[in-house]
């Protein structure tokens, strides 16, 4: 099994476990192939991602996804940074990783991990679209966030602290 870590840093020789919260474990975080789409933007970019899960209704699938397998939505104010950044997708051996959140595709390791390869992504928009995922560019994310949270979709809301305040767009 290979898991992935996406960074704007090009030269990470070893991923050392880091403490995420006071009293928490020191961990190396990674994501599985299916959820890699959620991380093909700069780290600090706020985003709402969604896809159908086993309990998703046909109505929600039609309303939010249409023919797309998943949606990654970002604020319009982030589009130029997404277009112009280079990302580095580190391929990590999965032998020390355990699933932390199956819905989000998160994996964690308590051991240091050396990448087996690094892929440079110079066009993140293209990388998202090549996965068959819809990239939505919205003035703000609040309406989508509120609707997705109330839906039957699976979702991730990432780096929300960086989102525009409600009503600011």
């Amino acid at each position: 099994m290979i898991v992935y870590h996406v960074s704007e840093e090009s030269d990470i020789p070893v991923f050392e476990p880091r403490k995420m919260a006071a009293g928490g474990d020191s961990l190396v975080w990674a994501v599985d192939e299916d959820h890699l789409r959620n991380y093909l933007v700069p780290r600090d970019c706020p985003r709402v991602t969604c896809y159908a899960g086993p309990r998703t209704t046909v109505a929600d699938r039609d309303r939010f996804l249409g023919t797309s397998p998943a949606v990654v939505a970002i604020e319009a104010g982030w589009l130029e940074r997404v277009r112009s950044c280079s990302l580095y997708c580190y391929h990590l051996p999965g032998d020390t990783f355990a699933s932390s959140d199956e819905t989000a595709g998160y994996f964690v390791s308590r051991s240091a991990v050396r990448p087996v390869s690094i892929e440079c992504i110079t066009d993140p928009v293209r990388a998202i679209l090549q996965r068959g995922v819809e990239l939505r560019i919205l003035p703000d994310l609040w309406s989508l966030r509120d609707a997705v949270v109330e839906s039957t979709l699976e979702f991730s809301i990432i780096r929300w602290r960086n989102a525009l305040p409600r009503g600011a767009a």
Side-chain angles (χ1 to χ4, degrees):
M1 173 180 79
I2 296 289
V3 292
Y4 305 90
H5 184 96
V6 179
S7 176
E8 292 170 76
E9 295 179 40
S10 64
D11 59 349
I12 304 172
V14 177
F15 286 85
E16 297 287 347
R18 292 185 181 178
K19 191 170 289 263
M20 299 304 291
D25 290 339
S26 294
L27 302 168
V28 174
W29 286 84
V31 66
D32 66 15
E33 174 80 23
D34 289 341
H35 296 84
L36 182 57
R37 63 182 178 251
N38 298 347
Y39 297 90
L40 297 176
V41 296
R43 176 181 175 90
D44 287 334
C45 179
R47 55 212 178 261
V48 174
T49 68
C50 58
Y51 60 96
R55 66 179 194 92
T56 301
T57 65
V58 172
D60 279 349
R61 183 186 307 263
D62 290 347
R63 176 180 175 203
F64 292 98
L65 302 175
T67 59
S68 300
V71 169
V72 173
I74 65 169
E75 294 173 342
W78 278 85
L79 180 57
E80 189 51 42
R81 182 158 174 210
V82 171
R83 282 183 174 157
S84 65
C85 79
S86 290
L87 300 173
Y88 300 89
C89 182
Y90 290 85
H91 299 214
L92 307 175
D95 53 333
T96 64
F97 284 88
S99 178
S100 170
D101 182 332
E102 190 173 317
T103 299
Y106 295 151
F107 285 78
V108 295
S109 174
R110 288 175 169 72
S111 305
V113 180
R114 190 173 298 279
V116 294
S117 64
I118 305 167
E119 174 187 359
C120 180
I121 300 169
T122 58
D123 187 346
V125 170
R126 183 176 179 194
I128 291 168
L129 298 176
Q130 283 179 326
R131 294 180 156 294
V133 173
E134 180 182 344
L135 177 62
R136 288 191 191 160
I137 313 302
L138 303 172
D140 73 66
L141 297 172
W142 283 97
S143 295
L144 179 61
R145 178 212 171 271
D146 294 346
V148 165
V149 166
E150 294 297 320
S151 77
T152 59
L153 292 170
E154 302 289 343
F155 63 89
S156 286
I157 299 169
I158 303 167
R159 292 290 186 255
W160 198 248
R161 68 180 176 266
N162 298 331
L164 288 173
R166 191 181 290 273

